[in-house]
């Protein structure tokens, strides 16, 4: 029997003894408060008792952080209350322990891992382009069945703001500039709706509850995200299937272990990394909700990939078919020098190894078929079973180590004036979502085509890569291939047929187009054809033939669902 059920039963007995309901409610809250306090391990605690400055200083001195009160005499009463609250809600013992453990790991992090590295074994490495169509259909069928049954959920890592894109709101709210003017959040919401529809059509006798969408935000992105979805009526999703929660925050430290002040009355803090997911699953009771809904599998991904296939039924089906408790979707590295982490084994345990952790010689190693030995590029796209996550948060999360990010952290000078340093002045501590791979008892990889599934949006236009323009163009190119495969014919304003250009991606007839071949034929085409398919029409190119086969399509072309007209 659960604690809550036992408490409710006991309270029912108390009620029968003659206590009134308000007294019962008080007893219940007191009992629950005791339980919650025993379970609490969060770095930030709630409802502190107000302390005097002397008590605060003594508490800070115990951990060498009394400098946080340097400006106390010059603060207003409101600023003092603000700073006192931040100090009281900070678990100083825990965060200083985190810092010491993280700093002590720096020498190990700088060690090259070449001699300890092994690639993912072939039997655990699946490939979308090297798997026959019949098997792909089998995986898809398995995935769609689990979706129809309500056994699949998706979890979005959306703690980042669009600062590097030049905006001050959550990245998911960013309008990439497509003909439809849809944001990343809307595109992803509509992909979920289409997937639900596909599963319902395939298994029309099954009445599931749809796909639950969990969104992990930071303290800066939670409220704007909630308001955005409410304003847009959840983009047609069931409101109860959207669960938004907040990841933890940690103070920033100087290199010698002093907590940094962001202002005279505010501590500098940062999110605890996308690996803070596991603590949040426990502290915010999100995994409890997952289990209550009967969800057995979670697809976890990052917000900034415009091509992401949420709850990809083929990926889900592959992992389920292999009996995996943890899986990673990857793309093949474009070249040995590409600065991307690779999924591999270190001392027999799976992890993501960063480019900086191996030598160029190891990065350049190739198999007999000419492919890079360490080729599985990490794209933060993962599969977890619910039982695996339960083990992680109950038994393993505390052992996950933080990684160091040296940053230029805004702070104050001796006079209390805020400034941003020109060189890194401190560290932010964070965990990575893939840090749990090491605990998997059955880990598999599913390798996909980069041009079909991965185009991150990280930088403003003008940067070398990962910009709004590159994201748009990658989506246009993918949708062009979908439409051509369905029999659509692109023409220009003079009614001349525009030839395909695939740039190394297999075309609709299984061959590759070539720039030189096109020029020899006297044909010309624009760098990119502006075309967009609403996710409500097609999830991954399915169902288009009846709409475009044999039809001439002129750019800009936007294929919308009936409800969008």
């Amino acid at each position: 029997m659960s604690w809550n059920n036992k408490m409710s039963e006991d309270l029912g007995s108390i009620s029968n003894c003659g206590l009134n309901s308000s007294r019962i409610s008080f007893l219940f809250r007191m009992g629950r408060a005791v339980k919650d306090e025993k379970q609490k391990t969060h770095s930030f605690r709630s409802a502190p008792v107000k302390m005097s400055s002397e008590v605060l200083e003594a508490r800070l001195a115990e951990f060498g952080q009394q400098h946080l009160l340097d400006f106390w005499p010059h603060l207003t009463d409101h600023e003092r209350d603000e700073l006192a609250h931040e100090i009281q809600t900070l678990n100083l013992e825990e965060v200083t322990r985190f810092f010491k453990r993280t700093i002590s790991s720096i020498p190990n992090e700088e060690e090259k891992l070449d001699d300890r590295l092994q690639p993912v074994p072939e039997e655990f490495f699946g490939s979308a382009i090297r798997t026959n169509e019949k098997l792909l259909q089998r995986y898809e069928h398995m995935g769609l069945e689990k979706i129809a049954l309500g056994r699949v959920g998706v979890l979005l890592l959306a703690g980042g703001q669009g600062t590097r894109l030049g905006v001050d709101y959550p990245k998911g709210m960013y309008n990439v500039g497509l003909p439809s003017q849809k944001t990343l959040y809307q595109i992803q919401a509509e992909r979920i709706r289409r997937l639900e529809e596909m599963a319902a059509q395939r298994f029309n006798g099954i009445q599931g509850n749809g796909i639950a969408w969990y969104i992990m935000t930071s303290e800066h992105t939670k409220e704007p995200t909630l308001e955005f979805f409410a304003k847009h009526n959840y983009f047609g999703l069931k409101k109860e299937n959207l669960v938004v929660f907040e990841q933890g925050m940690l103070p920033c430290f100087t290199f010698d272990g002093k907590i940094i002040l962001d202002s005279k009355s505010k501590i500098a803090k940062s999110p605890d990394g996308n690996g803070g997911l596991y603590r949040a699953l426990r502290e915010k009771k999100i995994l409890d909700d997952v289990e209550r809904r009967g969800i057995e599998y979670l697809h976890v991904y990052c917000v900034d990939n415009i091509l992401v296939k949420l709850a990809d039924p083929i990926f889900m089906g592959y992992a389920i078919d292999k009996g995996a408790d943890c899986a990673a979707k990857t793309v093949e590295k474009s070249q040995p020098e590409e600065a991307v982490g690779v999924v591999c084994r270190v001392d027999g345990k799976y992890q993501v190894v960063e480019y900086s952790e191996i030598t160029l010689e190891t990065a350049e190693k190739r198999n007999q078929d000419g492919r890079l030995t360490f080729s599985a590029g990490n794209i933060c796209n993962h599969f977890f079973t619910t039982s695996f996550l339960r083990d992680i948060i109950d038994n393993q999360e505390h052992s996950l180590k933080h990684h160091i990010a040296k940053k230029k952290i805004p702070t104050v000078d001796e006079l209390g004036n805020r400034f941003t340093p020109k060189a890194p002045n401190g560290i932010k501590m964070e965990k990575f979502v893939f840090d749990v791979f090491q605990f998997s008892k059955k880990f598999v990889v599913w390798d996909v085509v980069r041009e079909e599934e991965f185009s991150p949006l990280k930088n403003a236009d003008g940067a070398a890569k990962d910009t709004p323009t590159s994201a748009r163009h990658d989506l246009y190119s993918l949708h062009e291939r979908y439409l051509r495969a369905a029999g659509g014919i692109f023409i220009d304003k003079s009614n001349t047929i525009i030839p395909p250009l695939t740039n190394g991606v297999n075309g609709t007839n299984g061959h590759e187009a070539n720039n030189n071949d096109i020029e020899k034929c006297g044909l010309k085409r624009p760098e990119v054809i502006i075309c967009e398919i609403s996710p409500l029409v097609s999830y991954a190119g399915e169902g288009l033939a009846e709409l475009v086969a044999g039809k001439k399509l002129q750019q800009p072309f936007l294929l919308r669902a009936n409800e969008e007209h």
Side-chain angles (χ1 to χ4, degrees), residues 219-255:
E219 69 172 9
H220 303 296
T221 61
K222 182 179 179 181
E223 290 307 317
T225 294
L226 286 168
E227 292 171 4
F228 186 75
F229 275 95
K231 177 182 177 181
H232 294 280
N233 197 28
Y234 304 94
F235 300 106
L237 295 170
K238 295 178 182 178
K239 180 180 178 181
E240 61 270 22
N241 279 353
L242 183 75
V243 181
V244 179
F245 63 102
E246 189 177 321
Q247 70 184 107
M249 302 286 286
L250 288 172
C252 302
F253 283 83
T254 62
F255 298 118

mmCIF file of all heavy atoms in Angstrom, residues 219-255:
data_model
loop_
_atom_site.group_PDB
_atom_site.id
_atom_site.type_symbol
_atom_site.label_atom_id
_atom_site.label_comp_id
_atom_site.label_asym_id
_atom_site.label_seq_id
_atom_site.Cartn_x
_atom_site.Cartn_y
_atom_site.Cartn_z
ATOM 1 N N GLU A 219 13.958 27.965 -15.064
ATOM 2 C CA GLU A 219 13.152 28.955 -14.353
ATOM 3 C C GLU A 219 12.822 30.159 -15.243
ATOM 4 O O GLU A 219 11.846 30.858 -15.011
ATOM 5 C CB GLU A 219 13.856 29.426 -13.082
ATOM 6 C CG GLU A 219 15.106 30.279 -13.299
ATOM 7 C CD GLU A 219 15.641 30.858 -11.994
ATOM 8 O OE1 GLU A 219 15.142 30.465 -10.933
ATOM 9 O OE2 GLU A 219 16.551 31.706 -12.065
ATOM 10 N N HIS A 220 13.633 30.365 -16.290
ATOM 11 C CA HIS A 220 13.414 31.500 -17.184
ATOM 12 C C HIS A 220 12.413 31.180 -18.301
ATOM 13 O O HIS A 220 11.837 32.092 -18.890
ATOM 14 C CB HIS A 220 14.738 31.939 -17.812
ATOM 15 C CG HIS A 220 15.788 32.296 -16.821
ATOM 16 N ND1 HIS A 220 15.670 33.360 -15.953
ATOM 17 C CD2 HIS A 220 16.989 31.713 -16.534
ATOM 18 C CE1 HIS A 220 16.745 33.430 -15.194
ATOM 19 N NE2 HIS A 220 17.561 32.446 -15.522
ATOM 20 N N THR A 221 12.229 29.913 -18.610
ATOM 21 C CA THR A 221 11.403 29.555 -19.768
ATOM 22 C C THR A 221 10.067 28.903 -19.406
ATOM 23 O O THR A 221 9.225 28.725 -20.282
ATOM 24 C CB THR A 221 12.166 28.607 -20.714
ATOM 25 O OG1 THR A 221 12.504 27.395 -20.017
ATOM 26 C CG2 THR A 221 13.437 29.256 -21.224
ATOM 27 N N LYS A 222 9.862 28.547 -18.158
ATOM 28 C CA LYS A 222 8.636 27.820 -17.799
ATOM 29 C C LYS A 222 7.377 28.651 -18.021
ATOM 30 O O LYS A 222 6.461 28.228 -18.737
ATOM 31 C CB LYS A 222 8.702 27.353 -16.343
ATOM 32 C CG LYS A 222 7.460 26.540 -15.938
ATOM 33 C CD LYS A 222 7.535 26.067 -14.497
ATOM 34 C CE LYS A 222 6.281 25.294 -14.117
ATOM 35 N NZ LYS A 222 6.312 24.847 -12.701
ATOM 36 N N GLU A 223 7.299 29.814 -17.398
ATOM 37 C CA GLU A 223 6.069 30.610 -17.496
ATOM 38 C C GLU A 223 5.789 31.072 -18.926
ATOM 39 O O GLU A 223 4.650 30.971 -19.395
ATOM 40 C CB GLU A 223 6.132 31.806 -16.542
ATOM 41 C CG GLU A 223 6.052 31.416 -15.073
ATOM 42 C CD GLU A 223 4.838 30.542 -14.758
ATOM 43 O OE1 GLU A 223 3.745 30.845 -15.270
ATOM 44 O OE2 GLU A 223 4.994 29.562 -14.011
ATOM 45 N N PRO A 224 6.794 31.581 -19.667
ATOM 46 C CA PRO A 224 6.519 31.941 -21.065
ATOM 47 C C PRO A 224 6.027 30.758 -21.891
ATOM 48 O O PRO A 224 5.166 30.912 -22.763
ATOM 49 C CB PRO A 224 7.873 32.448 -21.573
ATOM 50 C CG PRO A 224 8.590 32.912 -20.359
ATOM 51 C CD PRO A 224 8.164 31.972 -19.263
ATOM 52 N N THR A 225 6.555 29.569 -21.615
ATOM 53 C CA THR A 225 6.133 28.379 -22.353
ATOM 54 C C THR A 225 4.679 28.043 -22.046
ATOM 55 O O THR A 225 3.883 27.767 -22.952
ATOM 56 C CB THR A 225 7.045 27.183 -22.012
ATOM 57 O OG1 THR A 225 8.365 27.461 -22.500
ATOM 58 C CG2 THR A 225 6.542 25.894 -22.645
ATOM 59 N N LEU A 226 4.314 28.063 -20.769
ATOM 60 C CA LEU A 226 2.929 27.778 -20.382
ATOM 61 C C LEU A 226 1.967 28.779 -21.008
ATOM 62 O O LEU A 226 0.905 28.408 -21.535
ATOM 63 C CB LEU A 226 2.802 27.804 -18.861
ATOM 64 C CG LEU A 226 3.394 26.604 -18.102
ATOM 65 C CD1 LEU A 226 3.452 26.900 -16.603
ATOM 66 C CD2 LEU A 226 2.557 25.360 -18.364
ATOM 67 N N GLU A 227 2.337 30.049 -20.964
ATOM 68 C CA GLU A 227 1.483 31.092 -21.532
ATOM 69 C C GLU A 227 1.353 30.934 -23.043
ATOM 70 O O GLU A 227 0.271 31.139 -23.609
ATOM 71 C CB GLU A 227 2.061 32.473 -21.193
ATOM 72 C CG GLU A 227 1.992 32.812 -19.714
ATOM 73 C CD GLU A 227 2.768 34.073 -19.368
ATOM 74 O OE1 GLU A 227 3.301 34.719 -20.314
ATOM 75 O OE2 GLU A 227 2.856 34.415 -18.170
ATOM 76 N N PHE A 228 2.432 30.556 -23.696
ATOM 77 C CA PHE A 228 2.433 30.409 -25.149
ATOM 78 C C PHE A 228 1.489 29.290 -25.581
ATOM 79 O O PHE A 228 0.687 29.463 -26.509
ATOM 80 C CB PHE A 228 3.858 30.122 -25.629
ATOM 81 C CG PHE A 228 4.020 30.082 -27.119
ATOM 82 C CD1 PHE A 228 4.019 31.253 -27.860
ATOM 83 C CD2 PHE A 228 4.204 28.886 -27.783
ATOM 84 C CE1 PHE A 228 4.177 31.234 -29.238
ATOM 85 C CE2 PHE A 228 4.379 28.849 -29.161
ATOM 86 C CZ PHE A 228 4.357 30.026 -29.886
ATOM 87 N N PHE A 229 1.561 28.151 -24.918
ATOM 88 C CA PHE A 229 0.678 27.040 -25.279
ATOM 89 C C PHE A 229 -0.784 27.370 -24.980
ATOM 90 O O PHE A 229 -1.674 27.034 -25.774
ATOM 91 C CB PHE A 229 1.108 25.759 -24.557
ATOM 92 C CG PHE A 229 2.196 25.018 -25.270
ATOM 93 C CD1 PHE A 229 3.530 25.208 -24.941
ATOM 94 C CD2 PHE A 229 1.904 24.124 -26.290
ATOM 95 C CE1 PHE A 229 4.541 24.529 -25.603
ATOM 96 C CE2 PHE A 229 2.903 23.434 -26.963
ATOM 97 C CZ PHE A 229 4.226 23.643 -26.612
ATOM 98 N N ALA A 230 -1.030 28.005 -23.848
ATOM 99 C CA ALA A 230 -2.406 28.370 -23.512
ATOM 100 C C ALA A 230 -2.975 29.359 -24.529
ATOM 101 O O ALA A 230 -4.122 29.230 -24.975
ATOM 102 C CB ALA A 230 -2.455 28.961 -22.104
ATOM 103 N N LYS A 231 -2.157 30.334 -24.922
ATOM 104 C CA LYS A 231 -2.586 31.340 -25.898
ATOM 105 C C LYS A 231 -2.971 30.704 -27.221
ATOM 106 O O LYS A 231 -3.904 31.154 -27.901
ATOM 107 C CB LYS A 231 -1.458 32.353 -26.113
ATOM 108 C CG LYS A 231 -1.752 33.416 -27.159
ATOM 109 C CD LYS A 231 -0.556 34.347 -27.325
ATOM 110 C CE LYS A 231 -0.810 35.379 -28.423
ATOM 111 N NZ LYS A 231 0.373 36.273 -28.599
ATOM 112 N N HIS A 232 -2.288 29.627 -27.613
ATOM 113 C CA HIS A 232 -2.533 28.967 -28.896
ATOM 114 C C HIS A 232 -3.358 27.683 -28.753
ATOM 115 O O HIS A 232 -3.349 26.841 -29.651
ATOM 116 C CB HIS A 232 -1.202 28.672 -29.583
ATOM 117 C CG HIS A 232 -0.442 29.904 -29.983
ATOM 118 N ND1 HIS A 232 -0.737 30.627 -31.116
ATOM 119 C CD2 HIS A 232 0.585 30.555 -29.378
ATOM 120 C CE1 HIS A 232 0.085 31.663 -31.208
ATOM 121 N NE2 HIS A 232 0.903 31.641 -30.171
ATOM 122 N N ASN A 233 -4.085 27.609 -27.627
ATOM 123 C CA ASN A 233 -4.992 26.487 -27.397
ATOM 124 C C ASN A 233 -4.282 25.143 -27.553
ATOM 125 O O ASN A 233 -4.848 24.190 -28.080
ATOM 126 C CB ASN A 233 -6.196 26.568 -28.344
ATOM 127 C CG ASN A 233 -7.357 25.706 -27.896
ATOM 128 O OD1 ASN A 233 -7.517 25.450 -26.698
ATOM 129 N ND2 ASN A 233 -8.147 25.233 -28.842
ATOM 130 N N TYR A 234 -3.031 25.108 -27.110
ATOM 131 C CA TYR A 234 -2.224 23.884 -27.088
ATOM 132 C C TYR A 234 -2.071 23.256 -28.470
ATOM 133 O O TYR A 234 -1.788 22.080 -28.596
ATOM 134 C CB TYR A 234 -2.810 22.884 -26.086
ATOM 135 C CG TYR A 234 -2.924 23.486 -24.706
ATOM 136 C CD1 TYR A 234 -4.112 24.098 -24.276
ATOM 137 C CD2 TYR A 234 -1.831 23.525 -23.853
ATOM 138 C CE1 TYR A 234 -4.195 24.715 -23.031
ATOM 139 C CE2 TYR A 234 -1.908 24.132 -22.607
ATOM 140 C CZ TYR A 234 -3.084 24.724 -22.206
ATOM 141 O OH TYR A 234 -3.168 25.350 -20.983
ATOM 142 N N PHE A 235 -2.252 24.072 -29.495
ATOM 143 C CA PHE A 235 -2.082 23.634 -30.894
ATOM 144 C C PHE A 235 -2.897 22.376 -31.202
ATOM 145 O O PHE A 235 -2.494 21.539 -32.018
ATOM 146 C CB PHE A 235 -0.601 23.428 -31.224
ATOM 147 C CG PHE A 235 0.219 24.672 -31.063
ATOM 148 C CD1 PHE A 235 1.092 24.813 -29.980
ATOM 149 C CD2 PHE A 235 0.114 25.727 -31.954
ATOM 150 C CE1 PHE A 235 1.846 25.974 -29.808
ATOM 151 C CE2 PHE A 235 0.861 26.892 -31.782
ATOM 152 C CZ PHE A 235 1.715 27.013 -30.712
ATOM 153 N N GLY A 236 -4.041 22.284 -30.545
ATOM 154 C CA GLY A 236 -4.944 21.172 -30.831
ATOM 155 C C GLY A 236 -4.697 19.925 -30.015
ATOM 156 O O GLY A 236 -5.433 18.939 -30.138
ATOM 157 N N LEU A 237 -3.662 19.923 -29.175
ATOM 158 C CA LEU A 237 -3.399 18.777 -28.307
ATOM 159 C C LEU A 237 -4.325 18.820 -27.088
ATOM 160 O O LEU A 237 -4.847 19.879 -26.722
ATOM 161 C CB LEU A 237 -1.947 18.789 -27.834
ATOM 162 C CG LEU A 237 -0.862 18.618 -28.894
ATOM 163 C CD1 LEU A 237 0.511 18.899 -28.283
ATOM 164 C CD2 LEU A 237 -0.894 17.208 -29.465
ATOM 165 N N LYS A 238 -4.506 17.674 -26.453
ATOM 166 C CA LYS A 238 -5.261 17.646 -25.207
ATOM 167 C C LYS A 238 -4.451 18.370 -24.129
ATOM 168 O O LYS A 238 -3.278 18.062 -23.928
ATOM 169 C CB LYS A 238 -5.523 16.205 -24.774
ATOM 170 C CG LYS A 238 -6.410 15.402 -25.708
ATOM 171 C CD LYS A 238 -6.545 13.970 -25.192
ATOM 172 C CE LYS A 238 -7.400 13.130 -26.130
ATOM 173 N NZ LYS A 238 -7.492 11.708 -25.659
ATOM 174 N N LYS A 239 -5.102 19.300 -23.449
ATOM 175 C CA LYS A 239 -4.403 20.070 -22.424
ATOM 176 C C LYS A 239 -3.793 19.171 -21.366
ATOM 177 O O LYS A 239 -2.668 19.403 -20.898
ATOM 178 C CB LYS A 239 -5.374 21.059 -21.771
ATOM 179 C CG LYS A 239 -4.747 21.919 -20.681
ATOM 180 C CD LYS A 239 -5.761 22.865 -20.069
ATOM 181 C CE LYS A 239 -5.136 23.680 -18.944
ATOM 182 N NZ LYS A 239 -6.129 24.600 -18.318
ATOM 183 N N GLU A 240 -4.529 18.093 -20.993
ATOM 184 C CA GLU A 240 -4.038 17.215 -19.936
ATOM 185 C C GLU A 240 -2.833 16.390 -20.367
ATOM 186 O O GLU A 240 -2.143 15.784 -19.529
ATOM 187 C CB GLU A 240 -5.152 16.270 -19.467
ATOM 188 C CG GLU A 240 -5.697 15.339 -20.525
ATOM 189 C CD GLU A 240 -6.881 15.917 -21.300
ATOM 190 O OE1 GLU A 240 -7.023 17.165 -21.324
ATOM 191 O OE2 GLU A 240 -7.651 15.123 -21.871
ATOM 192 N N ASN A 241 -2.545 16.367 -21.666
ATOM 193 C CA ASN A 241 -1.391 15.613 -22.160
ATOM 194 C C ASN A 241 -0.129 16.458 -22.258
ATOM 195 O O ASN A 241 0.912 15.966 -22.706
ATOM 196 C CB ASN A 241 -1.696 14.979 -23.519
ATOM 197 C CG ASN A 241 -2.482 13.697 -23.384
ATOM 198 O OD1 ASN A 241 -2.695 13.205 -22.283
ATOM 199 N ND2 ASN A 241 -2.931 13.134 -24.491
ATOM 200 N N LEU A 242 -0.213 17.723 -21.850
ATOM 201 C CA LEU A 242 0.965 18.592 -21.837
ATOM 202 C C LEU A 242 1.380 18.825 -20.389
ATOM 203 O O LEU A 242 0.607 19.359 -19.591
ATOM 204 C CB LEU A 242 0.673 19.923 -22.520
ATOM 205 C CG LEU A 242 1.876 20.867 -22.626
ATOM 206 C CD1 LEU A 242 2.832 20.386 -23.706
ATOM 207 C CD2 LEU A 242 1.429 22.290 -22.919
ATOM 208 N N VAL A 243 2.584 18.412 -20.046
ATOM 209 C CA VAL A 243 3.094 18.561 -18.680
ATOM 210 C C VAL A 243 4.397 19.348 -18.739
ATOM 211 O O VAL A 243 5.400 18.873 -19.285
ATOM 212 C CB VAL A 243 3.333 17.190 -18.019
ATOM 213 C CG1 VAL A 243 3.843 17.373 -16.597
ATOM 214 C CG2 VAL A 243 2.060 16.350 -18.034
ATOM 215 N N VAL A 244 4.382 20.552 -18.204
ATOM 216 C CA VAL A 244 5.562 21.417 -18.210
ATOM 217 C C VAL A 244 6.145 21.456 -16.801
ATOM 218 O O VAL A 244 5.426 21.682 -15.825
ATOM 219 C CB VAL A 244 5.194 22.841 -18.681
ATOM 220 C CG1 VAL A 244 6.426 23.750 -18.660
ATOM 221 C CG2 VAL A 244 4.585 22.798 -20.081
ATOM 222 N N PHE A 245 7.441 21.217 -16.683
ATOM 223 C CA PHE A 245 8.086 21.237 -15.377
ATOM 224 C C PHE A 245 9.448 21.907 -15.493
ATOM 225 O O PHE A 245 9.968 22.119 -16.588
ATOM 226 C CB PHE A 245 8.212 19.824 -14.807
ATOM 227 C CG PHE A 245 9.084 18.892 -15.604
ATOM 228 C CD1 PHE A 245 10.389 18.599 -15.206
ATOM 229 C CD2 PHE A 245 8.607 18.281 -16.764
ATOM 230 C CE1 PHE A 245 11.191 17.738 -15.934
ATOM 231 C CE2 PHE A 245 9.401 17.407 -17.502
ATOM 232 C CZ PHE A 245 10.699 17.140 -17.085
ATOM 233 N N GLU A 246 10.014 22.224 -14.348
ATOM 234 C CA GLU A 246 11.228 23.045 -14.306
ATOM 235 C C GLU A 246 12.425 22.244 -13.811
ATOM 236 O O GLU A 246 12.322 21.498 -12.839
ATOM 237 C CB GLU A 246 10.967 24.228 -13.363
ATOM 238 C CG GLU A 246 12.025 25.301 -13.359
ATOM 239 C CD GLU A 246 11.620 26.455 -12.441
ATOM 240 O OE1 GLU A 246 10.427 26.822 -12.424
ATOM 241 O OE2 GLU A 246 12.513 26.965 -11.736
ATOM 242 N N GLN A 247 13.551 22.387 -14.489
ATOM 243 C CA GLN A 247 14.767 21.743 -14.028
ATOM 244 C C GLN A 247 15.386 22.544 -12.896
ATOM 245 O O GLN A 247 14.989 23.684 -12.617
ATOM 246 C CB GLN A 247 15.771 21.600 -15.172
ATOM 247 C CG GLN A 247 16.395 22.896 -15.642
ATOM 248 C CD GLN A 247 17.311 22.713 -16.836
ATOM 249 O OE1 GLN A 247 16.961 23.096 -17.941
ATOM 250 N NE2 GLN A 247 18.489 22.138 -16.616
ATOM 251 N N GLY A 248 16.365 21.966 -12.235
ATOM 252 C CA GLY A 248 16.997 22.631 -11.113
ATOM 253 C C GLY A 248 17.992 23.694 -11.537
ATOM 254 O O GLY A 248 18.411 23.773 -12.696
ATOM 255 N N MET A 249 18.373 24.523 -10.585
ATOM 256 C CA MET A 249 19.381 25.557 -10.801
ATOM 257 C C MET A 249 20.506 25.349 -9.792
ATOM 258 O O MET A 249 20.286 24.867 -8.680
ATOM 259 C CB MET A 249 18.770 26.947 -10.610
ATOM 260 C CG MET A 249 17.587 27.259 -11.511
ATOM 261 S SD MET A 249 18.055 27.574 -13.218
ATOM 262 C CE MET A 249 18.778 29.226 -13.064
ATOM 263 N N LEU A 250 21.719 25.722 -10.189
ATOM 264 C CA LEU A 250 22.878 25.638 -9.307
ATOM 265 C C LEU A 250 23.614 26.969 -9.316
ATOM 266 O O LEU A 250 23.645 27.660 -10.341
ATOM 267 C CB LEU A 250 23.824 24.528 -9.766
ATOM 268 C CG LEU A 250 23.360 23.084 -9.551
ATOM 269 C CD1 LEU A 250 24.318 22.108 -10.240
ATOM 270 C CD2 LEU A 250 23.255 22.759 -8.069
ATOM 271 N N PRO A 251 24.231 27.331 -8.197
ATOM 272 C CA PRO A 251 25.003 28.577 -8.174
ATOM 273 C C PRO A 251 26.266 28.452 -9.030
ATOM 274 O O PRO A 251 26.804 27.361 -9.210
ATOM 275 C CB PRO A 251 25.356 28.750 -6.697
ATOM 276 C CG PRO A 251 25.346 27.361 -6.150
ATOM 277 C CD PRO A 251 24.250 26.641 -6.898
ATOM 278 N N CYS A 252 26.713 29.567 -9.551
ATOM 279 C CA CYS A 252 27.973 29.610 -10.294
ATOM 280 C C CYS A 252 29.115 29.894 -9.315
ATOM 281 O O CYS A 252 28.947 30.649 -8.351
ATOM 282 C CB CYS A 252 27.928 30.709 -11.357
ATOM 283 S SG CYS A 252 26.570 30.534 -12.538
ATOM 284 N N PHE A 253 30.266 29.285 -9.568
ATOM 285 C CA PHE A 253 31.415 29.417 -8.666
ATOM 286 C C PHE A 253 32.602 30.053 -9.379
ATOM 287 O O PHE A 253 32.786 29.860 -10.588
ATOM 288 C CB PHE A 253 31.855 28.039 -8.159
ATOM 289 C CG PHE A 253 30.985 27.450 -7.090
ATOM 290 C CD1 PHE A 253 29.822 26.764 -7.426
ATOM 291 C CD2 PHE A 253 31.329 27.571 -5.747
ATOM 292 C CE1 PHE A 253 29.025 26.200 -6.437
ATOM 293 C CE2 PHE A 253 30.530 27.008 -4.757
ATOM 294 C CZ PHE A 253 29.372 26.321 -5.102
ATOM 295 N N THR A 254 33.419 30.764 -8.606
ATOM 296 C CA THR A 254 34.724 31.174 -9.116
ATOM 297 C C THR A 254 35.610 29.929 -9.144
ATOM 298 O O THR A 254 35.258 28.888 -8.576
ATOM 299 C CB THR A 254 35.372 32.232 -8.218
ATOM 300 O OG1 THR A 254 35.583 31.666 -6.908
ATOM 301 C CG2 THR A 254 34.493 33.476 -8.103
ATOM 302 N N PHE A 255 36.764 30.030 -9.761
ATOM 303 C CA PHE A 255 37.642 28.871 -9.871
ATOM 304 C C PHE A 255 38.181 28.411 -8.517
ATOM 305 O O PHE A 255 38.594 27.255 -8.369
ATOM 306 C CB PHE A 255 38.814 29.183 -10.819
ATOM 307 C CG PHE A 255 38.374 29.491 -12.217
ATOM 308 C CD1 PHE A 255 38.623 30.737 -12.790
ATOM 309 C CD2 PHE A 255 37.692 28.540 -12.972
ATOM 310 C CE1 PHE A 255 38.214 31.024 -14.084
ATOM 311 C CE2 PHE A 255 37.276 28.828 -14.261
ATOM 312 C CZ PHE A 255 37.538 30.067 -14.823
#
